[in-house]
């Protein structure tokens, strides 16, 4: 089999059978894209289409020889310049642009277009760039990002101190120099002589795998926007997708970096789990659950490598189907206001548990809940001694079904006695048979990850890079706002409460956010917001303190207690005298820095149907018209409520369709057979 891996090798002419495949690539499950620009297809049916090689076997690892510098051959075109098309467009084909990539698609009607997912790809490029900067600095290579200058390491706490004191204490530094000083312990030393730029192949650079690449957009962006890479493997099980990936690699001039692969993602990673064959970065962004690929991924990523995972099955992870969640991730999800953060901790628990089987463990760098999906970036390490700590990192969740109070129970106990560490079983449970606040029962969920979700020092580096070079990404403002909130979150406080749910439980008006946060601060507790929910409150205050604050608020904003049922949570909570006398005077530190700066922290609806899209149609691609009709039929159904009973005649009778309606002509619904057939 001929495998073309270098840019200087002649291109392989596509035979007639491959051209037929390329004309029907509509079945590929395309990800969201930023902008679309349609190009007129050539009218000549005999247009010569060329294609770089499609790999159907795992690529051999990069040679481990000592680095002698970068590949002296420059890229086909500089990243700052717009890539001219290098392949002829097929009939009806379009070009979609995002970042520096221009991706070919079969037709505008068959493109899986979702602009919300651009944030996912932009954030991934930013994280992988900082990971490459850190790794390559240890190898004596300095990565160069276009438009990036010497910048500051963003620390919101320092910035807040500057606003209060008026003194500027931040010093301009270069992150690559800072990392080198941390590694060598020397200041003012010589910078690495070898540099790695975007679009160039670095001999001793990082090896990247995108296991479920579809069109290859993410992989092409890696090749064009992330420096310090040795190779990028874009894999997809579909032959049509693999052929399209190869054409997109050639169209963007990155065939020297990007190889298309048509393999089962799990089998490919299993075959590359040898210590010398592992990838430095593995990206998994499946349609739905990534559970089938996690076992192979934790083995195929190198020591200290980066594993990027996306989960879009939020209905399962947010508590709608706890038994399904357990079958996929080994954890029971429950319906609660903190379900989005719990979903993050469920996938981290699953990753760590699968890694532990192979004497490996994870270290989360950044975990975010965004729109309709979650995205986690973790590093995978090997160490039998560290794996023993994993039991004490997992926790069960006791959630009260009445008032929403929750308690965590660690699965293991770790005790340090001098230089010795003792591991034992945890004691519990932390709650009684009934909730002490409202008298209702508890639900049991988990196990979940009980440690920090983020590495704040790494997040600050990514934040600094994005804020210092805002023109690099189309969603830079939202990335800056999201990461700013992440740096403000309490690291050692799992899960959160929501202010509206606390008020709803006791049936009183909702207190202002700043006053409630100030009351907790006055009581000596820590409090922060959460990126996963607008009204979230992460605090180390126990539930008793939260309900005391709500009791004090209710005293100045009384509710009609005669209407409360004796069995309701509000009756039990409000009939208990508060121990803590809350002070609602607003403190200056109650307003976090990201909120003061009015950063873009949450997504606004960009267009109708902006959420998760349906799976691409294997027959012709795109979304079926029937599905679109059903979507439109369900839009605004609560806004146009029926006020006149005669309007019900326009709806078919479900009982009549089943032959069970006994009202006859007096039925308020329609018995027209045409309408019932249309409903079916």
């Amino acid at each position: 089999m001929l495998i073309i891996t270098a840019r200087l090798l002649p291109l392989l002419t596509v035979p007639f059978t491959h051209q037929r495949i390329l004309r029907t690539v509509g079945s590929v499950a395309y990800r969201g894209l930023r902008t679309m620009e349609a190009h007129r297809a050539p009218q000549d049916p005999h247009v010569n289409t060329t294609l770089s090689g499609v790999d159907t076997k795992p690529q051999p690892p990069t040679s481990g020889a000592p680095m002698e510098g970068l590949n002296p051959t420059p890229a086909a075109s500089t990243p700052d310049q717009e890539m001219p098309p290098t392949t002829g467009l097929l009939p009806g084909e379009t070009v979609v642009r995002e970042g520096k990539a221009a991706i070919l698609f079969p037709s505008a009607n068959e493109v899986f277009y979702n602009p919300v997912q651009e944030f996912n790809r932009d954030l991934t490029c930013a994280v992988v760039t900082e990971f490459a900067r850190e790794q390559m600095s240890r190898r004596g290579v300095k990565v160069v990002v276009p438009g990036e200058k010497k910048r500051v390491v963003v620390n919101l706490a320092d910035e807040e101190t500057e606003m209060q004191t008026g003194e500027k204490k931040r010093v301009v530094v270069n992150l690559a120099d800072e990392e080198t000083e941390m590694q060598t312990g020397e200041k003012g030393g010589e910078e690495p002589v070898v540099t790695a730029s975007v679009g160039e192949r670095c001999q001793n650079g990082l090896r990247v795998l995108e296991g479920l690449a579809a069109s290859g957009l993410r992989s092409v962006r890696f090749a064009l926007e992330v420096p310090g890479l040795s190779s990028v493997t874009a894999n997809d099980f579909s032959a049509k997708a693999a052929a399209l990936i190869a054409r997109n690699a050639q169209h963007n001039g990155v065939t020297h970096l990007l190889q298309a692969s048509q393999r089962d993602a799990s089998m490919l990673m299993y075959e590359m789990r040898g210590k010398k064959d592992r990838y430095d970065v593995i990206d998994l962004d499946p349609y739905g659950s990534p559970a089938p690929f996690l076992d192979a991924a934790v083995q195929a990523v190198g020591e200290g490598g980066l594993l990027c995972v996306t989960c879009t099955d939020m209905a399962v992870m947010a508590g709608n189907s706890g038994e399904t969640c357990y079958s996929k991730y080994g954890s029971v999800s429950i319906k609660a206001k903190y379900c989005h953060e719990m979903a993050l901790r469920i996938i981290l628990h699953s990753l760590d548990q699968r890694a532990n089987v192979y004497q490996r463990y994870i270290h989360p760098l950044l975990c975010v809940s965004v729109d309709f999906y979650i995205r986690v970036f973790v590093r995978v390490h090997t160490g039998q001694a560290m794996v023993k700590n994993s039991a004490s990192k997992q926790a069960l969740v006791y959630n009260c079904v009445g008032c929403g109070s929750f308690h965590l129970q660690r699965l293991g106990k770790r005790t340090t006695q001098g230089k010795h560490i003792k591991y034992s079983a945890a004691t519990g449970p932390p709650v009684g048979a009934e909730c002490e606040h409202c008298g209702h029962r508890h639900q049991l969920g988990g196990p979940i990850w009980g440690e920090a979700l983020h590495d704040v020092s790494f997040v600050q580096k990514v934040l600094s890079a994005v804020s210092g070079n805002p023109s690099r990404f189309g969603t830079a403002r939202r990335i800056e706002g999201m990461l700013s909130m992440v740096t403000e979150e309490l690291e050692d406080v799992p899960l959160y409460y929501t202010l509206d749910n606390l008020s709803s439980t006791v049936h009183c008006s909702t207190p202002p956010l700043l006053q409630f946060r100030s009351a907790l601060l006055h009581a000596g507790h820590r409090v922060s917001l959460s990126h996963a929910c607008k009204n979230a409150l992460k605090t180390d205050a126990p539930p008793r303190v939260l309900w005391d604050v709500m009791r004090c608020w209710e005293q100045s904003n009384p509710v009609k207690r005669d209407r409360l049922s004796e069995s309701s949570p509000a009756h039990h909570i409000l009939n208990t005298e508060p121990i803590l006398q809350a002070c609602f005077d607003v403190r200056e530190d109650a307003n976090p820095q990201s909120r003061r700066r009015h950063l873009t922290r949450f997504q606004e609806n960009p267009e109708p149907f902006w959420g998760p899209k349906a799976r691409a149609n294997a027959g012709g691609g795109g979304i079926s018209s029937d599905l679109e009709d059903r979507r439109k039929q369900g839009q605004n159904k609560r806004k146009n409520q029926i006020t006149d009973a005669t309007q019900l005649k326009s709806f078919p009778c479900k009982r009549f369709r089943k032959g069970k309606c006994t009202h006859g002509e007096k039925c308020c619904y329609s018995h027209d057979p045409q309408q019932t057939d249309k409903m079916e």
Side-chain angles (χ1 to χ4, degrees), residues 371-392:
D371 302 326
F372 54 86
Y373 61 91
I374 57 176
R375 181 73 164 167
V376 297
F377 302 89
V378 301
R379 296 186 66 176
V380 181
H381 300 276
T382 305
Q384 184 177 6
M386 296 298 295
V387 169
K388 294 181 179 180
N389 297 329
S390 293
S392 60

Side-chain angles (χ1 to χ4, degrees), residues 8 11 19 24-25 117 125 134 144 183 201 216 263 277 288 297 467 567 594 604 631 670:
L8 299 180
L11 295 173
Q19 293 184 10
T24 59
V25 293
Q117 282 282 20
C125 288
E134 178 180 314
V144 179
Q183 297 294 330
R201 182 177 181 274
R263 299 291 308 282
D277 301 332
S467 59
S567 61
S594 61
E604 297 181 358
R631 281 180 171 177
S670 174

Side-chain angles (χ1 to χ4, degrees), residues 646-665:
T646 58
Q647 299 178 8
L648 296 176
K649 278 293 184 181
S650 60
F651 295 91
C653 179
K654 295 182 180 180
R655 288 182 172 269
F656 176 78
R657 179 171 59 88
K658 298 179 181 180
K660 298 181 179 180
C661 184
T662 59
H663 298 285
E665 297 181 354

Side-chain angles (χ1 to χ4, degrees), residues 16-27:
F16 175 74
T17 56
H18 283 193
Q19 293 184 10
R20 292 183 61 187
I21 291 177
L22 295 176
R23 290 190 181 99
T24 59
V25 293
S27 63

Side-chain angles (χ1 to χ4, degrees), residues 559-616:
V559 300
K560 297 180 179 180
R561 301 195 182 189
D562 55 341
R563 296 186 178 182
L564 299 178
S565 172
E566 293 184 359
S567 61
S568 66
H571 182 272
H572 286 78
I573 293 174
L574 296 180
N575 284 342
T576 303
E577 291 297 325
I579 301 176
L580 170 71
Q581 296 300 321
C583 176
F584 293 98
D585 295 339
V586 177
R587 292 176 43 151
E588 186 175 359
D589 55 348
N591 195 12
Q593 189 64 222
S594 61
R595 193 169 181 268
R596 292 182 186 179
R597 296 168 57 187
H598 303 286
L599 298 179
T600 304
R601 302 176 295 175
F602 299 97
Q603 175 73 28
E604 297 181 358
N605 296 359
E607 60 180 16
F609 318 121
W610 66 274
K613 303 298 182 182
R615 190 187 299 269

Side-chain angles (χ1 to χ4, degrees), residues 88-231:
L89 298 179
L90 299 178
E93 204 164 47
T94 59
V95 176
V96 182
R97 302 184 182 277
E98 179 181 298
K100 297 186 180 302
I103 304 299
L104 304 177
F105 282 98
S107 71
N109 296 329
E110 299 169 351
V111 171
F112 187 91
Y113 182 69
N114 194 350
V116 178
Q117 282 282 20
E118 181 192 359
F119 175 83
N120 187 340
R121 287 182 289 272
D122 285 350
L123 181 62
T124 302
C125 288
V127 171
V128 175
T129 299
E130 291 308 309
F131 177 76
R133 190 195 309 274
E134 178 180 314
Q135 296 298 307
M136 298 309 294
S137 65
R138 297 175 181 175
R139 306 177 188 181
V141 180
K142 178 181 178 181
V143 298
V144 179
V145 180
E148 188 175 75
K149 301 178 181 179
K150 289 188 176 183
R151 59 191 188 277
V152 298
V153 179
V154 176
N155 189 323
L156 295 183
D158 295 343
E159 187 169 346
E160 186 174 356
T161 304
E162 290 178 15
M163 297 179 61
Q164 295 177 358
T165 61
E167 300 178 0
K168 296 184 177 181
K169 300 180 180 180
R170 293 185 296 171
V171 181
V172 177
V173 295
N174 187 295
L175 290 186
D177 298 342
E178 183 183 45
E179 293 169 1
T180 304
E181 292 177 7
M182 293 177 63
Q183 297 294 330
T184 62
E186 299 177 0
K187 296 184 179 181
E190 296 182 0
E191 295 183 358
V193 178
V194 181
T195 59
S197 302
V198 295
E200 294 182 349
R201 182 177 181 274
C202 182
Q203 288 184 354
N204 201 25
L206 305 182
R207 298 175 59 241
V208 182
L209 168 67
E210 185 183 4
L212 307 157
S215 63
L217 170 61
R218 191 184 304 255
S219 295
V220 171
R221 290 195 60 182
F222 285 160
L224 292 175
E225 302 178 25
V226 179
L229 302 183
S230 173
S231 65

